Amino acid sequence: MDGKKQFVILGNMNAITYKEVFPLLKDNEIWLGYSIHSGDRKFNVPDDYPLNAAGCGIDEDGKKFIRVKGVRWFTNIDHDLRHQPLLLDTMNNNLKFNKKLKKKLETTFGAIKYPHYDNYDAIEVPFTECIPSDYNGIMGVPITFMDKYNPNQFAILGITDRNNEYGLTTKIYTPSDGNNYADCNRRAAIRLSNGKLVSTYARLLIKKADE
């Protein structure tokens, strides 16, 4: 970054959560590129490479290949897609009409409502397309949100992390809170109606950008 060079790097989407990478994404020094947003990608490998994993094979030219999931471009080259606003619906309409969201909330958390985290002052939004357009507080969203991230529409405040690098954690768990207390400290946690804590996957903590 110090060299002030433009670049495009192919990497795994999980790199979004890396301590060396996330601050650059948060501060809009780098972002995801234009062309890859889902699925896996095929890569050729040497002839002596073992084809043990699912999705491996040999193409019509006799070259070995593997398929890698979660591939993304990381870049500091601007493109128009990152300035397109994400089209969203209200919280009430999402809860009323979005079958995918309703099933997820009821199956995982036992109620058709956006749950509030137990250790962050934020609500859980399990799918990017279900970000409520009329909610002004902090929201936890999947890392795939970066595929749709528009810095003019949202601000990234931090990420769920064990070390509370961004000062957003409101509670630290101990063994008395359950066997999964370490996982809950590492990520966002939701307390179910029976008192049990459930940890989420990594979540980006966002809110609407200041207008």
Side-chain angles (χ1 to χ4, degrees):
M1 299 301 297
D2 294 337
K4 300 186 184 301
K5 299 290 186 179
Q6 290 187 317
F7 61 83
V8 178
I9 299 174
L10 196 62
N12 189 277
M13 188 158 203
N14 287 327
I16 289 172
T17 67
Y18 296 174
K19 63 181 181 180
E20 300 85 359
V21 177
F22 176 74
L24 302 175
L25 292 163
K26 176 181 177 295
D27 295 337
N28 288 303
E29 294 185 50
I30 66 172
W31 42 85
L32 297 191
Y34 188 89
S35 61
I36 304 176
H37 302 293
S38 63
D40 55 20
R41 291 298 182 271
K42 185 170 73 173
F43 293 88
N44 289 119
V45 293
D47 292 338
D48 59 351
Y49 191 92
L51 300 180
N52 298 325
C56 298
I58 300 175
D59 63 21
E60 60 273 11
D61 296 322
K63 296 181 179 180
K64 288 185 175 182
F65 68 86
I66 61 172
R67 292 189 177 276
V68 181
K69 295 182 178 181
V71 174
R72 295 294 190 276
W73 294 111
F74 292 80
T75 185
N76 62 353
I77 301 173
D78 204 7
H79 55 84
D80 63 341
L81 188 63
R82 67 186 293 262
H83 298 288
Q84 295 179 13
L86 185 60
L87 300 179
L88 303 169
D89 209 339
T90 65
M91 179 178 286
N92 184 65
N93 281 350
N94 285 338
L95 294 173
K96 186 175 182 180
F97 299 114
N98 192 305
K99 294 181 180 179
K100 178 182 175 182
L101 175 65
K102 291 168 65 177
K103 181 179 180 180
K104 173 65 176 180
L105 294 176
E106 188 168 27
T107 301
T108 306
F109 308 117
I112 302 177
K113 65 177 183 179
Y114 288 85
H116 195 282
Y117 296 137
D118 192 63
N119 57 342
Y120 288 90
D121 186 13
I123 62 169
E124 160 75 357
V125 181
F127 309 113
T128 297
E129 66 269 24
C130 296
I131 294 173
S133 61
D134 55 349
Y135 188 77
N136 296 318
I138 302 175
M139 299 168 278
V141 295
I143 62 174
T144 49
F145 165 80
M146 293 304 302
D147 285 325
K148 304 289 186 180
Y149 172 51
N150 176 346
N152 300 315
Q153 188 176 16
F154 293 101
I156 300 175
L157 306 181
I159 188 171
T160 54
D161 70 288
R162 185 189 304 277
N163 298 321
N164 195 22
E165 293 285 345
Y166 300 95
L168 298 171
T169 305
T170 60
K171 183 181 294 186
I172 301 297
Y173 299 107
T174 66
S176 64
D177 292 300
N179 294 332
N180 64 338
Y181 78 97
D183 289 335
C184 292
N185 282 330
R186 183 168 173 260
R187 300 300 185 203
I190 295 168
R191 191 175 294 277
L192 305 181
S193 59
N194 62 5
K196 181 181 178 181
L197 287 169
V198 176
S199 62
T200 67
Y201 290 107
R203 290 294 187 254
L204 308 181
L205 298 168
I206 68 167
K207 68 180 302 185
K208 287 183 180 179
D210 294 332
E211 297 181 356

